[in-house]
Amino acid sequence: MSGSLPFYQKHHRHYDRGYRSKETESKLSQYQSSSRYAAGSSTSRSRGLSPIPKRAKPTYLAVDRENQIIGYVVLDLQDSAYMARRDMFTSGLEMERSEQISRKEVMRESAERISQNKRIHEHEEHFKRMNEDSLMHAPEFVIKPRSHTVWEKQCVRLHCTVSGWPDPRVVWYKNNVAVDPLANPGKYKVESRYNVHSLEINRCDFDDTAQYRVSAMNSKGELSAFASVVVKRFKGEVDEFLPAPRRKLSEYGITFQTHIVDKFGVSFGREGETMSLGCTVVIYPALHRYQPEVQWYRDDVLLSPSKWHHMHWSGDRATLTFTHLNKEDEGLYTLRVTTKSGYETYSAYVFVRDADAEVEGAPGAPLDVRCLDANKDYIIVTWKQPAVDGGNSILGYFVDRCEIGTTHWIQCNDTPVKFARFPVTGLVEGRSYIFRVRAVNKSGMSHPSRVSEPVAAMDPADRARMRGTSAPWTGQIIVTEEEPAEGVVPGQPLELQVTEATKNYVVLSWKPPGEKGLEGVMYYVEKCVSGTDSWQRVNTEIPVKSPRFALFDLAEGKSYRFRVRCCNSAGVGEPSDPTEATTVGDKLDIPSAPGKVVPTRNTDTSVVVSWEASRDAKELIGYYIEGSIVGSQVWEPCNNKPVNATRFICHGLITGEKYVFRVRAVNAAGLSQFSQESEPVEVKAAIGGGIPHASPAPPYGITVLECVRDSMVLAWKQPTFIGGADITGYFVDYREIIDGVPGKWHEANIKAVSERAYRVSDLKENRKYQFQVRAANMAGVGIPSLPSDTFLCEEWTIAVPGPPHDLQIRDVRNDSLVLLWKPPVYQGRNPVNGYYVDIKEADAPEEAWRGVNNKATETTYIKVGGESYVFRVRAQNKAGVGKTSDVTEPVPALTKPGTKEIVVDVDDNGVISLNFECGDLIPDSKFVWSKNYEEITDPSRLTIETKGNKSKAVFNTPAEEDIGIYSCLVTHTDGASASYTLSEEELKRLLEISHDHKFPIIPLKSELAVELLEKGRVRFWLQAEKMSANGKVDYVFNDNVLSQGEKYKMNFDKNTGVIEMIMESLTPADEGTFTFQLQDGKATNQSSLVLIGEVFKGLQKESEFQRKEWFRKQGPHFIEYLSYEVTPECCVILKCKVGNMKKETSALWYKDGHQIKADEHLGFTEGVLKLEIAQITTKDSGVYEVVLKDDRGKDTSTLNLTNQSNLKKPRINKATNSSTPLKITSTDEGIRLYTFVSYYNDLLQVTWHYKDSAIAFSDRIKSGVVGEQLWLQIKEPTEKDMGKYAIEFNDGKGGLRRSVELSGQAFDDAFAEFKRLNVLEIKNVFMVIIKVNYDVLSGRARVAGGLPDVVTIQEGKALNLTCNISGDPVPEVTWLKNDREITSDDHCILKFESGKFASFTITGVNTSDSGKYSILVKNKYGTESGDFTVSVFIPEDVGETLGMDKNKLEDVLDVLCRLKTYI
């Protein structure tokens, strides 16, 4: 008995060594030693030495860090202690004693072993009952099958060992087809014993070369392992070159012929139903028990038996049965029957419609539910959206899960998810699940989808390790002794990237580090919010083993960065480079709507629908097609499973009906909008329409365009008859010509080529070849062309270019046509830089060729004129002109009846389009638009619209890049085409027309204007030239539409085009922009008027004025407002003209708010009111007002005479003329120059001049006015003051100047008089000072006989002066201060009583009252004045008041004391 565990138990937990207790382990080790001894006792003695048997070397299990058994270890203990123990048993007596003791120990150990095993078994059973689930685990390959390479006719055996609980079911597959030993008796042998499974292949032949797969499955999951078998033949047994699979070959003298009859057709089913597809297979000759290889494919994917579909072969009939149809079963099914001589296939489409909904209006069930990514704590589930939404948009989807082994379904999401991808969490690690999806709209819930394949929730690294290859068992145990390797901290993970990002999760993937030591690595994932440097570990508890990880619970809309660290027992490595910032959200957009949909007739019940793919679509799943009978407005799905192509055959249509189709794209984000509806198409057979030959005629004109060592480029011409359908491609065959004898034809291309040029490769240099070409369309491949001329395969070395090819004729007219060609394939030594076109009449000899263009053209098209001609083209480069192309067919230059030209149109919306119409269309005809004779494939510049026999190319955004030659060709016609040249000038003209059509303008006779009406009303108006009865106007103020009301009155006279809006008045809120917006059909216009700032204020003021004027004139009012005139006698007459007066009307005059008595020069004659002011002075200045009033109202007119310059002129002129000559006099202060003016007033402007320059006055030179005297005072004159002095009277336009010469004797006399008076004045001043200061010091004032010369008074005191005035008539009294007139007020009270007494009173003097005062009395006989000086002092500083310092004041006081004593 071996001391190690059996291989089929070593992974079971209850047999694991780690499960045993220390005591149990010790007992078992003793039992193993004794059993080894007992087993060895029967062996022979070696050389008669010690009877002790040879003990087997102890073996131990080798386990890794996770207690997983990885091998066996045998210890080789040849040490000295062991040798010493052997020497102890050399004696026979000792050996016998030892044997007795050993027997007792064996018996005792045997009893203990039995007891111990019983306890272990009981404990195991208890553990199974208490924790049954922990015992169950998914299948695992202990030993995997290994690949073999064998010779033909040998046998090979594949075997493996599988563990798992419950016991897994094992199935063998060959190239994904289940191996059935009963179907191939004697070929295969399958065995399963004690978890060891094997597949034996007898007498291997070449067809047994394949990949074999063994699949193990139980309720916990499924696991597969792979092995390859390669069968070799001995050299020389078969031909060196094997024929193609399609070629019939004879094996064992038999050639099989296979025919598939009794075929299944296009089938329609419904979800939940059963369906069978079958065909009868006839194989000739019929051999007993011979079975061909029968395979079923769906959409070119090999099918294998499953619970959804079963396959059966009855000997002559192949059947595929669907037990429960689902939309996943929809597709193109192909039966392939393979024999030793080849294979035959047959295909037909199966459509599966949705089952009837449980709730009316509920959507169809989702389909194709798969598990995109599986981990230990999440599984990402994906599905495809259904084609039927029940008439209401799908709100979302619910995902359900079910644990394998149960029937309980659990809903995974509380709210519907719209994205067809969902992460399922909350799973139990190690358990397997299946999933399903349901769609929901506002009507209800759909049927659940077909369940997904089972998937286990486990770490991908564990799954990969379970599926990984293991070393085969070699039967050898290798014993090694190694020092434990020192741990190495792993390096940085590589190529970290975000592979998927939605609003629910983000998936990261990376590659393991290059430096990771001898042990495995695990990973920590970290995240960081963009813009910060705070990294947070996501999987804080347990690191992940696989280089793929999904993150959940991220904030939608935020940006994150991610990085990964490696770790092992040695530590945690450095982080990887962080990813770019990733924003959490659905990055996948719903695809755009597919482009143009084109239906084409196919059969009596089907239509071929093709469309343009959605642009910039990401992760596109496919397309759904819907069809509708014209006029029914009922749309039915044509497919319930998305198709990946842009072409689909819609079956099940009603013959003779007209259908329209539409298409929409689908990806995980959702369904796109529908495309535009196609043109209607009638359902009937397309090919033929009575034409007996549907396949194309053979091409012709095969030429060589280029030749290198091992390949040749061929070109050919299109067949003259294409069979009623577009040519889909060409097939080229070649054969070698040896000594004039042709060989077998070989296929040059398996896939059809669409161009009429092809490079045939893998030829042999300097060999001769012939070629033939076949054309293909929807009906099939046509007959081959005649063999071409024989061409030698040798490399071209000529310097000039090769021939152009594919010459085409377009736009044939009476006087011109367009010739197109393609550039040569062989360029020569230099690039092609131009082309020459040759022309000759069709029946002319070769010498008649002549050039069309003298200068080479760089384009690959040219427009020429002629009658009936043939053409050829030559290319040139720097080396010269190359070979000529093939000659075209004869073309008559004749415009065919019914030929249309391209018409340029600009519609009412300003859209520019090119329009072409063709009357010779057939159902398969297409309009092909080109620019510069290159087909337009980019729809960004032009949008092509085709309806019936008309096609339109619409310019999206016309610009300079659209300039060029546009042409339209109609296929399946006799060359119907036309061209149009869009030049720069033509583009400008079309753009102007487009702008006028797009934005038509209503012409205006006048722009918006404003005017004032009676009563101050405001009228806004404009006039349009012409508007229809449907025209309308919007009145807008500051972007707000106005409406008719009390404030706004609108009027629109459509006959005259006058539009007006009247406002009663303007308020500050009406400041802004007024706009009239006109619309007449599509034509518009508008006119605005801005009334802001001063403009608005002026208009508002004028409006208010006009309004007030209207109300004013309803009663007595002024026709002419108050004005004045000045008489020659300097009298001023105020007058005004009034109207609408009656007897009760009163007229009142006011000056400065005080009414003027009626007897004071008032007059009223002939509607004119007058007021006369004689000898006007400044006293008469003021504001004059006249008020008219009666019971109808009142009116007021005012006149301000405070500053009227017109009053100055007559007064100034009279005063100037009354001035006396300038005279000289002397005073005690200096020399005075003076003149007298009889009519002087304040309005007179006086300027003093010295030597013809205006005098700048100062304290020494002053001027003034006393009464009618104007003087100039020169204090302390010197000789420098000598010269000519003048006084000038000015009225602003000119004046009078009086002058005097102050020099010579005049100056000497005046200066002498000044000195004399100055001495006297000093004496008088001293005496006055003594007297004044005496009065101040004594505290009283005396005035006798009139005004004093000087008054000194303390601040705050009251001053009252009185003087007697006499004169007849009573004079006018005027008071002056510093030569300026003062008036009476509260501070300075001036009175003139009884015509005799004039009083001057200051209630409380202050320092500002100091100055020179004068009283001026005047009547018509003369003027007289009296002067006095007022000096105000502060008591604390008397000395300063008197202008004396302390010492001088003491001297004065001393003198005063002496005078007092004297008095």
Side-chain angles (χ1 to χ4, degrees), residues 608-733:
V608 178
V609 179
S610 59
W611 59 90
E612 295 178 1
S614 298
R615 289 190 290 172
D616 302 328
K618 296 181 180 178
E619 301 183 23
L620 187 68
I621 295 174
Y623 299 90
Y624 283 122
I625 303 96
E626 291 186 359
S628 174
I629 298 176
V630 174
S632 67
Q633 299 299 321
V634 177
W635 292 92
E636 294 291 341
C638 298
N639 63 316
N640 284 286
K641 182 179 179 181
V643 294
N644 293 323
T646 57
R647 181 179 178 272
F648 186 73
I649 302 177
C650 300
H651 289 273
L653 306 179
I654 301 174
T655 304
E657 291 284 355
K658 287 189 176 181
Y659 283 82
V660 291
F661 298 90
R662 64 185 186 184
V663 184
R664 59 178 172 176
V666 59
N667 64 6
L671 295 167
S672 73
Q673 298 292 326
F674 281 105
S675 67
Q676 293 183 352
E677 296 180 10
S678 69
E679 292 294 322
V681 62
E682 184 179 357
V683 180
K684 65 179 182 180
I687 299 178
I691 299 176
H693 300 92
S695 58
Y700 65 99
I702 301 175
T703 57
V704 176
L705 301 180
E706 185 186 31
C707 185
V708 294
R709 292 181 180 179
D710 57 352
S711 66
M712 302 173 73
V713 179
L714 305 178
W716 55 90
K717 295 182 181 180
Q718 180 176 302
T720 56
F721 172 72
I722 63 176
D726 290 335
I727 292 179
T728 57
Y730 297 90
F731 294 93
V732 180
D733 300 332

Side-chain angles (χ1 to χ4, degrees), residues 1292-1417:
K1293 296 182 179 180
L1296 178 67
R1297 174 176 289 201
R1298 307 248 184 213
S1299 61
V1300 67
E1301 187 72 29
L1302 183 60
S1303 60
Q1305 187 62 40
F1307 177 79
D1308 295 338
D1309 295 343
F1311 186 77
E1313 181 65 16
F1314 155 68
K1315 287 294 185 180
R1316 184 183 67 81
L1317 296 175
N1318 183 260
V1319 173
L1320 295 176
E1321 182 65 19
I1322 292 175
K1323 294 181 180 179
N1324 294 333
V1325 168
F1326 182 75
M1327 295 303 295
V1328 169
I1329 290 175
I1330 293 175
K1331 182 178 182 301
V1332 170
N1333 283 280
Y1334 173 79
D1335 294 337
V1336 171
L1337 293 176
S1338 63
R1340 65 183 181 89
R1342 296 180 181 180
V1343 177
L1347 295 175
D1349 294 332
V1350 177
V1351 177
T1352 302
I1353 188 171
Q1354 182 179 342
E1355 185 179 21
K1357 299 292 185 176
L1359 174 62
N1360 187 8
L1361 299 177
T1362 303
C1363 63
N1364 296 326
I1365 301 300
S1366 61
D1368 186 16
V1370 177
E1372 296 180 359
V1373 178
T1374 302
W1375 294 87
L1376 304 176
K1377 178 183 178 182
N1378 296 330
D1379 299 331
R1380 292 185 179 276
E1381 183 180 358
I1382 59 177
T1383 59
S1384 177
D1385 54 22
D1386 294 339
H1387 180 67
C1388 182
I1389 301 173
L1390 304 177
K1391 293 182 179 180
F1392 182 44
E1393 298 175 344
S1394 302
K1396 296 181 179 180
F1397 305 104
S1399 62
F1400 173 84
T1401 304
I1402 299 177
T1403 55
V1405 298
N1406 51 46
T1407 54
S1408 63
D1409 293 326
S1410 298
K1412 179 181 178 181
Y1413 291 85
S1414 303
I1415 183 173
L1416 184 65
V1417 294

Side-chain angles (χ1 to χ4, degrees), residues 8 211 491 514 539 560 674 678 713 882 1019 1047 1076 1205 1218 1256 1262 1272 1391 1395 1408 1426:
Y8 55 85
Q211 184 185 60
N539 54 332
Y560 294 86
F674 281 105
S678 69
V713 179
R1019 177 180 181 246
K1047 185 173 182 179
F1076 285 7
S1205 60
S1218 65
K1262 296 180 180 180
L1272 175 68
K1391 293 182 179 180
S1408 63

Side-chain angles (χ1 to χ4, degrees), residues 1131-1309:
C1131 292
V1132 176
I1133 298 176
L1134 305 183
K1135 61 179 181 178
C1136 57
K1137 189 174 183 179
V1138 298
N1140 201 11
M1141 303 284 285
K1142 63 180 184 178
K1143 294 180 179 180
E1144 293 80 5
T1145 304
S1146 61
L1148 303 177
W1149 289 83
Y1150 295 87
K1151 176 190 175 188
D1152 295 333
H1154 301 286
Q1155 183 177 354
I1156 301 176
K1157 294 180 180 181
D1159 58 353
E1160 294 185 5
H1161 310 289
L1162 296 182
F1164 177 52
T1165 58
E1166 298 180 356
V1168 177
L1169 291 176
K1170 294 183 179 180
L1171 174 64
E1172 182 179 349
I1173 304 175
Q1175 298 295 327
I1176 189 170
T1177 63
T1178 56
K1179 182 179 179 181
D1180 298 317
S1181 64
V1183 178
Y1184 290 83
E1185 182 180 15
V1186 180
V1187 178
L1188 303 177
K1189 63 180 179 178
D1190 57 19
D1191 56 352
R1192 297 171 298 170
K1194 73 173 183 177
D1195 194 9
T1196 303
S1197 178
T1198 59
L1199 179 63
N1200 189 347
L1201 290 182
T1202 56
N1203 185 21
Q1204 294 293 336
S1205 60
N1206 291 334
L1207 294 175
K1208 299 179 182 179
K1209 295 181 180 179
R1211 300 289 296 170
I1212 291 173
N1213 293 336
K1214 196 167 185 178
T1216 301
N1217 294 330
S1218 65
S1219 62
T1220 61
L1222 199 59
K1223 296 182 178 181
I1224 304 173
T1225 186
S1226 298
T1227 65
D1228 57 349
E1229 294 181 351
I1231 299 174
R1232 174 175 292 189
L1233 308 179
Y1234 66 94
T1235 181
F1236 288 95
V1237 180
S1238 301
Y1239 298 100
Y1240 174 77
N1241 56 47
D1242 296 338
L1243 303 179
L1244 184 64
Q1245 295 182 6
V1246 178
T1247 305
W1248 290 90
H1249 294 269
Y1250 172 63
K1251 295 182 179 180
D1252 296 329
S1253 298
I1255 297 175
F1257 298 105
S1258 62
D1259 292 340
R1260 197 174 72 86
I1261 301 177
K1262 296 180 180 180
S1263 67
V1265 178
V1266 178
E1268 295 179 352
Q1269 183 186 62
L1270 281 71
W1271 52 264
L1272 175 68
Q1273 183 72 39
I1274 304 174
K1275 292 184 179 181
E1276 301 294 335
T1278 62
E1279 292 183 355
K1280 293 181 179 180
D1281 297 321
M1282 297 173 62
K1284 182 179 180 180
Y1285 289 84
I1287 183 171
E1288 183 178 10
F1289 303 95
N1290 197 334
D1291 60 356
K1293 296 182 179 180
L1296 178 67
R1297 174 176 289 201
R1298 307 248 184 213
S1299 61
V1300 67
E1301 187 72 29
L1302 183 60
S1303 60
Q1305 187 62 40
F1307 177 79
D1308 295 338
D1309 295 343

Side-chain angles (χ1 to χ4, degrees), residues 202-273:
N202 294 319
R203 293 183 62 82
C204 293
D205 56 23
F206 193 74
D207 288 340
D208 292 321
T209 298
Q211 184 185 60
Y212 292 83
R213 174 169 67 94
V214 57
S215 174
M217 177 184 291
N218 63 8
S219 60
K220 299 299 289 183
E222 184 271 341
L223 192 63
S224 296
F226 298 85
S228 297
V229 173
V230 179
V231 180
K232 292 187 175 181
R233 285 191 175 119
F234 288 100
K235 186 176 182 181
E237 287 192 0
V238 296
D239 294 339
E240 182 179 359
F241 300 101
L242 293 176
R246 287 182 178 269
R247 309 296 178 94
K248 302 291 185 181
L249 64 90
S250 176
E251 184 155 337
Y252 306 115
I254 300 175
T255 301
F256 291 101
Q257 296 181 359
T258 305
H259 302 279
I260 300 177
V261 296
D262 192 15
K263 305 172 183 177
F264 62 92
V266 175
S267 304
F268 296 88
R270 192 175 294 274
E271 282 188 308
E273 298 177 348

Side-chain angles (χ1 to χ4, degrees), residues 29-39 105-106 109:
S29 63
Q30 294 177 8
Y31 167 73
Q32 291 170 359
S33 299
S34 63
S35 63
R36 287 194 299 271
Y37 170 76
E105 290 177 352
V106 168
E109 289 175 356

Side-chain angles (χ1 to χ4, degrees), residues 900-969:
K900 303 287 185 179
E901 299 293 341
I902 294 178
V903 179
V904 183
D905 178 60
V906 182
D907 62 13
D908 293 339
N909 295 322
V911 177
I912 303 174
S913 62
L914 305 177
N915 301 268
F916 186 62
E917 181 180 356
C918 179
D920 300 331
L921 289 179
I922 65 172
D924 293 323
S925 295
K926 296 180 181 178
F927 289 86
V928 180
W929 286 89
S930 303
K931 179 183 179 183
N932 295 331
Y933 298 101
E934 294 183 2
E935 184 175 352
I936 298 173
T937 57
D938 183 11
S940 62
R941 304 301 310 168
L942 278 176
T943 300
I944 309 299
E945 301 175 0
T946 301
K947 291 185 179 181
N949 64 338
K950 298 179 180 179
S951 183
K952 177 190 296 185
V954 180
F955 289 94
N956 297 332
T957 53
E960 290 186 1
E961 56 188 292
D962 294 317
I963 295 174
I965 301 175
Y966 291 87
S967 61
C968 183
L969 171 69

